[in-house]
Amino acid sequence: MKPCILGMFSLLAFPLSLFGQINDAQKDSLFIQEVENQKDPDKVLHAEPLYIDLIRDLGARKGEREWNIGMGLTDNLSFDSYEALIEYEWAPMDRLGLEVELPFTLHSPLAGAESEIPSHRLNSLKVAAQWSFLVNEHYASSMAIGYINEFELSDFNNFARPLIIGNVYNPFLVIAKRWGQNFHSLLYTGPQIAHHYASNQWHKAFEINTSFHYMISGTRNFLGVEINKSIENQQFDLSLRPQMRVAIADNLMIGIVAGIPIKRENERLSSFLRLIWEPGHPQKN
């Protein structure tokens, strides 16, 4: 893993050599202008988090679309969890992003562990929408509201008996700000309300996710950290997720995330990899 991470860090600097003698301020200005001023309506360039990702870009423009494939590993106390997801997001009209996601979880017991592990499962069918109601280029700021509906599915041992076992309702608010040319901050927050049909139980949690990134001059590459916080049943959980994104091609990027639990009882270190493909992104000759 360490050679891979070192190699990715070297890739971050590679695109800078392509700009010759242009200074950093000019690189940033040209790249931001390419994203923000090539089309209408207005759009602000933001570095968006990789773990709790958004439903399409803030200020999405009609016709934009994106595929994501994610893979992750979480070290729990008595078993490992392997996560995978397939996600498609698109903008049917300006400012509106839609998303469909299928997240999977597989489990593997740790050596010597005696407790039972959860069953493998296709966790849910997630559908989501996000509306950017404020895009201000002068202040380099964007705001959006959105909603995720998650139809929870039965595990593979009991699949389709019944098929849908619960529902999760998740409205959210996003506020993003770019500071100068390179520094980016973002707040993603909202409640999660889960209803389990068989027991008729309701579970409520509130998420407060903040992120801070530094975008490398003249590129889409960045370094940063997500701070994922949740409050449930008077319990407070906190995880730090340092991360980096590297553009492999003009329409293909890879994101690498490490998870460091600061206040979680049943979870240790984790890792997550996200492959991002934008088929509608124009190719450069």
Side-chain angles (χ1 to χ4, degrees), residues 93-153:
M93 59 183 291
D94 291 335
R95 302 280 194 263
L96 177 65
L98 302 178
E99 179 182 287
V100 177
E101 178 183 333
L102 294 174
F104 298 82
T105 303
L106 307 176
H107 302 92
S108 175
L110 297 177
E114 298 181 356
S115 59
E116 293 186 6
I117 65 171
S119 299
H120 307 320
R121 62 185 303 177
L122 168 59
N123 299 331
S124 61
L125 168 63
K126 295 174 70 173
V127 293
Q130 175 182 287
W131 172 257
S132 299
F133 64 89
L134 174 67
V135 178
N136 190 309
E137 287 190 358
H138 178 72
Y139 291 102
S141 301
S142 301
M143 298 178 68
I145 55 173
Y147 176 72
I148 301 172
N149 198 94
E150 189 170 354
F151 300 97
E152 295 187 303
L153 305 177

Side-chain angles (χ1 to χ4, degrees), residues 197-225:
Y197 297 154
S199 61
N200 198 30
Q201 291 184 335
W202 294 79
H203 298 280
K204 301 178 182 68
F206 196 86
E207 292 189 341
I208 308 168
N209 301 307
T210 49
S211 60
F212 305 92
H213 293 89
Y214 177 84
M215 188 171 287
I216 307 299
S217 295
T219 76
R220 306 175 77 189
N221 305 337
F222 63 57
L223 297 168
V225 63

Side-chain angles (χ1 to χ4, degrees), residues 26-39:
Q26 290 173 314
K27 295 173 194 172
D28 292 332
S29 179
L30 289 171
F31 185 70
I32 292 171
Q33 184 178 24
E34 178 184 346
V35 172
E36 296 183 355
N37 298 328
Q38 292 299 311
K39 298 179 182 179

Side-chain angles (χ1 to χ4, degrees), residues 22 31 42-43 59 79-80 86 95 103 107 138 143 191-192 195 207 232 234 265:
I22 300 177
F31 185 70
D42 291 346
K43 184 176 183 178
F79 60 90
D80 286 336
I86 301 173
R95 302 280 194 263
H107 302 92
H138 178 72
M143 298 178 68
Q192 280 194 343
H195 181 206
E207 292 189 341
E232 182 177 3
Q234 298 182 339
E265 296 180 358

Side-chain angles (χ1 to χ4, degrees), residues 161-236:
R161 301 195 302 267
L163 178 62
I164 300 175
I165 61 173
N167 203 49
V168 180
Y169 312 92
N170 180 203
F172 61 86
L173 169 70
V174 182
I175 303 173
K177 166 73 176 172
R178 188 180 71 240
W179 306 88
Q181 305 280 14
N182 301 91
F183 293 95
H184 302 251
S185 62
L186 185 142
L187 169 68
Y188 178 109
T189 185
Q192 280 194 343
I193 304 169
H195 181 206
H196 299 287
Y197 297 154
S199 61
N200 198 30
Q201 291 184 335
W202 294 79
H203 298 280
K204 301 178 182 68
F206 196 86
E207 292 189 341
I208 308 168
N209 301 307
T210 49
S211 60
F212 305 92
H213 293 89
Y214 177 84
M215 188 171 287
I216 307 299
S217 295
T219 76
R220 306 175 77 189
N221 305 337
F222 63 57
L223 297 168
V225 63
E226 276 181 67
I227 307 171
N228 301 135
K229 303 168 286 294
S230 66
I231 303 170
E232 182 177 3
N233 296 328
Q234 298 182 339
Q235 297 274 338
F236 178 74

